[in-house]
Amino acid sequence: MIYLDNAATTRQKPQPVIDAVVSAMTTLGNSARGTHEGSLSASRMIYGTREKLATFFNCPRPDHVVFTANSTEALNMAICGLLDPGDHVIATDLEHNSVLRPLYRLEAERSVTLSFVPADRQGRIDYGEFERLIRPETRAIICTHASNLTGNAVDIGRVGAIAHAHGLIFLVDASQTAGVLPIDMEAQQIDLLCFTGHKSLMGPQGTGGLCLGENVALRPWKVGGTGVQTYNPAQPEQLPTRLEAGTLNGHGIAGLSAALDYIRAVGMETIREKEEALMRRFYEGVSVIPGVTVYGDFNAPRTAVVALNIRDYDSGEVSDALAQDYGIATRPGAHCAPRMHRALGTERQGAVRFSFGWFNTEHEIDTAIRAVKELAE
């Protein structure tokens, strides 16, 4: 298989990540559930990973790094724990359903009102729209760092400055960028950062997290066992325990810890440069093929994603042909990004997304270009 679906998950993991998960499954106990060595080892490893993530994202404190199963859980935790009845939120057309559906749910259940910064036919946004949409009751701006469909990156530092100039909370969905684009919570004025571990961070599935700024308080999205304050009928107040009910995925977090070490050793800039070079090679190869339409802005910062369609063929049929006839894995359809597809005019056809990762090769890219050319012919 030529795997070009890294925006969904990185299929090939670094060997140290695999080794760490295997080791954890044979050695670790349950963190905060005992004083024996198995439990203590798990607690030490988990806290050490919090420290690595706090450094990686410049989160103010390790105990403000909360582990979740994925970005979806982190976003639900942040959105549902933050917003009150009557609040107004500004988001964008670039958002994934992991942002949209919690917002729509609160719109129905808590009378939260929503505004969206529109995207144009290339998936770009006008930053002036954020300020134009602010109302007296606006509570937060919620914004993806990069579209999972077009790869277009958002200048989150610019949006963070707008949010803080108006006293708003700024929440960033870094699902597509954590591990490949620089993120600095302090410099970019991010109050809440949601990320997943299994994409550009190259960690195991079932890992993710939420990083909180110093002055942000969230209601617990879920409550339950914490291993501490057993006789307290309410969820403990202190972070991260307040937001981490239930047994943590210690085995997965061990793998995520190893993935962070791997990225630091290789260099995030090195990884980003290779992925961008592969993306550019593919884009330049397919964009000149008659009958191929490519979506997104390729003259601005972006992730290593190219979404396209071939003539008026259904994207699912094209993706299936790529898989069955060429052994190339891609992602067709709507990509959980309904507003983005409406903005691009691809709501009916969908799009075929090619997304490139650290372990892809130039030969694989050239094979994919030839496949698109043959299908277009």
Side-chain angles (χ1 to χ4, degrees):
M1 180 190 293
I2 297 176
Y3 186 80
L4 301 179
D5 194 20
N6 292 279
T9 191
T10 48
R11 180 172 176 264
Q12 183 174 348
K13 308 297 183 183
Q15 190 60 45
V17 174
I18 298 168
D19 294 341
V21 173
V22 172
S23 176
M25 293 183 74
T26 58
T27 61
L28 294 186
N30 196 338
S31 175
R33 269 67 170 183
T35 57
H36 53 79
E37 186 56 32
S39 177
L40 294 175
S41 295
S43 295
R44 294 186 196 105
M45 180 277 297
I46 287 170
Y47 187 77
T49 310
R50 293 190 208 278
E51 291 182 311
K52 292 177 186 179
L53 288 164
T55 300
F56 197 79
F57 296 125
N58 197 19
C59 180
R61 295 168 46 173
D63 61 352
H64 282 218
V65 177
V66 175
F67 287 111
T68 64
N70 43 51
S71 286
T72 299
E73 185 175 32
L75 287 161
N76 273 272
M77 189 180 295
I79 292 169
C80 297
L82 175 68
L83 299 177
D84 296 316
D87 284 343
H88 172 245
V89 175
I90 300 169
T92 77
D93 276 350
L94 280 64
E95 308 309 319
H96 188 278
N97 271 337
S98 294
V99 168
L100 296 175
R101 283 175 173 162
L103 288 177
Y104 292 148
R105 182 176 183 176
L106 294 188
E107 183 180 38
E109 294 180 356
R110 298 184 191 174
S111 299
V112 170
T113 54
L114 310 175
S115 296
F116 293 92
V117 174
D120 65 15
R121 283 286 178 163
Q122 286 187 285
R124 300 171 301 192
I125 59 173
D126 176 359
Y127 291 90
E129 281 295 312
F130 286 102
E131 295 202 75
R132 288 190 282 272
L133 291 171
I134 293 173
R135 309 174 187 171
E137 67 272 22
T138 304
R139 180 78 182 282
I141 293 177
I142 301 176
C143 185
T144 187
H145 193 181
S147 166
N148 74 311
L149 173 56
T150 65
N152 291 2
V154 174
D155 186 344
I156 54 174
R158 185 174 178 181
V159 181
I162 294 170
H164 281 218
H166 295 272
L168 307 178
I169 293 171
F170 184 38
L171 190 163
V172 172
D173 174 9
S175 301
Q176 293 295 317
T177 58
V180 72
L181 292 184
I183 298 173
D184 186 320
M185 290 185 66
E186 182 177 351
Q188 294 166 322
Q189 303 187 62
I190 301 169
D191 298 298
L192 294 162
L193 178 73
C194 300
F195 66 92
T196 197
H198 70 101
K199 297 185 181 183
S200 290
L201 284 173
M202 295 190 275
Q205 294 179 7
T207 61
L210 167 62
C211 298
L212 294 86
E214 282 282 18
N215 301 312
V216 182
L218 297 178
R219 293 181 298 272
W221 183 58
K222 60 179 180 179
V223 297
T226 57
V228 298
Q229 299 185 25
T230 295
Y231 294 101
N232 184 349
Q235 195 73 2
E237 288 294 322
Q238 71 270 22
L239 289 171
T241 308
R242 178 171 174 79
L243 301 176
E244 286 185 344
T247 293
L248 294 176
N249 178 11
H251 304 150
I253 294 170
L256 180 59
S257 178
L260 292 165
D261 292 341
Y262 180 85
I263 292 171
R264 184 173 63 248
V266 174
M268 189 167 68
E269 185 173 350
T270 300
I271 294 170
R272 182 170 67 253
E273 287 176 353
K274 177 183 177 182
E275 291 183 0
E276 182 169 352
L278 294 174
M279 178 269 294
R280 291 286 173 188
R281 187 182 186 96
F282 181 78
Y283 169 72
E284 290 167 5
V286 299
S287 60
V288 297
I289 298 173
V292 171
T293 301
V294 179
Y295 305 97
D297 183 0
F298 288 81
N299 297 312
R302 57 183 297 104
T303 57
V305 168
V306 177
L308 59 79
N309 276 314
I310 300 177
R311 306 190 190 282
D312 60 350
Y313 301 146
D314 179 80
S315 62
E317 292 181 1
V318 173
S319 185
D320 187 58
L322 287 166
Q324 298 299 321
D325 299 338
Y326 300 94
I328 299 171
T330 59
R331 169 80 185 276
H335 309 89
C336 301
R339 299 186 70 95
M340 189 77 265
H341 275 284
R342 292 185 189 113
L344 297 176
T346 53
E347 188 174 6
R348 180 191 63 82
Q349 190 176 11
V352 183
R353 184 185 69 189
F354 297 75
S355 50
F356 311 99
W358 171 245
F359 292 104
N360 287 129
T361 66
E362 289 185 351
H363 175 71
E364 291 177 329
I365 302 311
D366 293 341
T367 300
I369 293 169
R370 287 195 299 273
V372 172
K373 185 174 186 296
E374 289 178 10
L375 290 174
E377 290 173 347

